[in-house]
């Protein structure tokens, strides 16, 4: 006679099936939640934020300036305009190399290419110079914030 048969009651098999079913539900819910979180993290992992402050030589906002940001590879061109006395625009982008172009009638166009790593935020200062004056328009990096990961 086996020991398992001695210690098993007739209802124990039904209890084990119910217990196993409960654990299967818990494991399935945990896997679904994990997959949803992983999909969200993967979607956000390739994102970056670009903030541009566009001003004239006297420091005033460049009202009417048109900002274009295009990926170096194929992709959608993001556009924004400086309006209402606000010199700043914020554009969420995918990571990678992007061509930044800022134009305003009567001023020289500013162009530069920037590599934007995933999970970073970059602030660019754009100074537009008049077409009739000396010097060209510039795009310079004000600050850059990079994501850091700590392990313990």
């Amino acid at each position: 006679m086996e020991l398992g048969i001695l210690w098993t009651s007739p209802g124990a098999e039904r209890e084990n099936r119910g217990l196993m079913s409960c654990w299967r539900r818990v494991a399935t819910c945990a896997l679904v939640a994990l997959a949803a979180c992983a999909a969200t993290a993967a979607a956000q992992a390739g994102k970056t934020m670009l903030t541009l402050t566009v001003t004239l030589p006297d420091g005033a906002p460049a009202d009417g300036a048109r900002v274009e940001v295009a990926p170096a590879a194929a992709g959608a061109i993001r556009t924004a305009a400086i309006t209402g006395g606000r010199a700043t625009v914020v554009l969420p982008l995918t990571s990678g190399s992007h061509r930044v172009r800022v134009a305003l009638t009567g001023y020289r166009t500013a162009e530069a290419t920037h590599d934007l790593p995933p999970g970073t935020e970059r602030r660019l200062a754009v100074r537009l110079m008049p077409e009739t004056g000396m010097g060209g328009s510039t795009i310079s990096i004000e600050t850059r914030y990079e994501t850091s990961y700590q392990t313990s």
Side-chain angles (χ1 to χ4, degrees), residues 113-138:
T113 300
H114 290 274
D115 187 36
L116 305 171
T120 61
E121 179 179 342
R122 183 151 311 159
R123 293 182 58 89
L124 301 178
V126 181
R127 177 76 45 123
L128 297 177
M129 299 302 284
E131 287 179 343
T132 58
M134 293 180 57
S137 296
T138 60

Side-chain angles (χ1 to χ4, degrees), residues 66-71 73-80 91 93 98-99 101:
R66 181 177 165 82
V67 176
E68 292 180 356
V69 180
I77 297 174
R78 301 291 307 260
T79 61
L91 298 170
L93 303 167
H98 287 76
R99 182 182 58 82
R101 184 175 191 274

